[in-house]
Amino acid sequence: MDREKTLALLKENFQEKKVTKCIFSNMKGDYEYTKIIIKPLMIKNNFLYQFEQFKNNKAYHINITVEEAIEKLADIVDNFYQYVLFTTEYDIQIIKGKKDFNMKSACNAKEICSLEHNKVKKYILEDGKPVPFLIKLGIMGEDGKVFKKSYDKFRQINKYLEFIDDTIKELKNKKYIDTHIKAVDFGCGKSYLTFALHYYLKNIQNMTFEVIGLDLKEDVIAHCNQIAKELNLENIEFLTGNIKDFNKLKNVDMIFSLHACNNATDYSLLKGMELDAKAILAVPCCQHEFNEKMSKNKKSEFFSFENPIGKHGILLEKFASIATDAFRAQALELCGYKTQVMEFIDMEHTPKNILIRGIKDKVNQANLEKKLKEYEVYKSFLGINPILDELLKPYFKI
């Protein structure tokens, strides 16, 4: 083929929107870009082509219309020696020689290309696939379609299962568990997440398990047990009681406490120590204690150095919440856990979006000494004696 036929072939496929991907490489001379990759995409129902252009090991992106893309093709063809064109009908490779353009098959398999700029999120529990407990709890219909009003809760459940999935993998890697796991949900409430864990362990991980949900509200627990009975769920139990008094299981592998108010999170961490939990997941809520205690000690270093924050109630409240969770994460590390503080769910869905995850780890005394010093300095700076300090200090590994 000559230049005009090659250019016509490219323009035709771009014009008819048959291109799924096009790569221009092997730059000629001193052209501005060393490589160009073109893909189609949809943005707000507008069909565009995205040009990913490489220069000095950096990629530059532009999204342009079909007509604008076609206008650029002639210049690109003149400045590259190799083109690979993927279309909905065929894939070809074109090599530019001294006198003509040689064309051959590029590959055997078609490349699948998504036109969506924001690709659909792949969830562990799928929208459109019936899940009995989600139907029973009113999250989706009998056809498996998630109700619009329940989509935030659906996303939260899936985000939670992603953390559970990662945690189980790490517990297995560390040889803490094999094919059986014991888990407790403190403050389970309506138990969306407890039921999700049961479904995940049975239907996705194919593990044996013991799962318990605990809450103070008798009517809520009765409702959860009724749902479990109606769905014929085994090895899951819901109990009424206080976190402090729980003693149903020993040597628990995993505990989680989501949106436990104020010091209820601290008592769930303590119970994790008492039960020798291998993994602890907590999403704290309503961190009032630090705010109240810091406000009463205006002579602390915090107010000496951070008064621009301390003098504004709303800023102090936000700072106290962050300080509380930082303190909790550090305390868990002193108890022999490797900790991570992560975003649980997007801020648009809930302001209580910090998840603290601790997994038992090998103890390094030198590191613990450093962490203990940081812990004490931090506590002195804030000018408080938190309840957590009293609860967890007996479990410090130093």
Side-chain angles (χ1 to χ4, degrees), residues 281-336:
L281 289 83
V283 177
C285 181
C286 308
Q287 298 93 327
H288 298 309
E289 183 202 2
F290 273 42
N291 189 13
E292 292 171 357
K293 289 184 175 179
M294 290 171 66
S295 297
K296 290 178 180 178
N297 185 7
K298 294 295 191 339
K299 295 181 180 179
S300 68
E301 288 184 78
F302 169 80
F303 277 97
S304 297
F305 292 99
E306 301 290 350
N307 195 49
I309 293 176
K311 69 181 181 180
H312 298 290
I314 189 171
L315 296 181
L316 177 60
E317 181 181 357
K318 290 180 180 295
F319 179 90
S321 293
I322 295 172
T324 304
D325 293 335
F327 196 82
R328 287 166 171 159
Q330 191 81 345
L332 279 177
E333 291 181 5
L334 288 167
C335 291

Side-chain angles (χ1 to χ4, degrees), residues 20 24 317 329:
T20 58
F24 295 92
E317 181 181 357

Side-chain angles (χ1 to χ4, degrees), residues 30 41 58 62 70 108 127 156 200-201 220 255 277 282 322-323 330 334 339 366 373 378 388 394-395:
D30 56 354
L41 74 160
K58 292 183 179 180
I62 58 170
I70 290 174
N108 294 323
D127 186 0
Q156 185 190 57
Y200 169 82
L201 293 172
V220 171
I255 70 165
I322 295 172
Q330 191 81 345
L334 288 167
T339 65
K373 183 177 180 180
Y378 179 52
L388 186 68
Y395 295 91

Side-chain angles (χ1 to χ4, degrees), residues 2 4 36 46 92 114 117 122 140-141 155 182 203 219 231 236 240 244 262 264 267 280 289 299 306-307 358 396:
D2 60 19
E4 297 309 315
I36 297 175
N46 294 317
I92 57 173
S114 171
H117 187 58
K122 179 66 175 176
M140 61 171 51
R155 289 186 61 189
K182 292 188 285 185
N203 297 282
D219 57 335
L231 294 176
I236 185 171
T240 304
K244 301 177 188 179
N262 201 21
Y267 283 103
I280 297 173
E289 183 202 2
K299 295 181 180 179
E306 301 290 350
N307 195 49
F396 285 4

Side-chain angles (χ1 to χ4, degrees), residues 77-114:
V77 164
D78 290 338
N79 284 283
F80 288 94
Y81 285 107
Q82 180 171 298
Y83 330 129
V84 183
L85 175 67
F86 298 93
T87 76
T88 56
E89 297 177 352
Y90 54 79
D91 306 328
I92 57 173
Q93 180 183 36
I94 302 172
I95 305 294
K96 185 161 98 175
K98 291 183 178 180
K99 297 182 179 180
D100 55 12
F101 293 74
N102 299 308
M103 183 174 67
K104 62 180 181 179
S105 176
C107 60
N108 294 323
K110 295 290 182 189
E111 177 161 325
I112 300 174
C113 175
S114 171

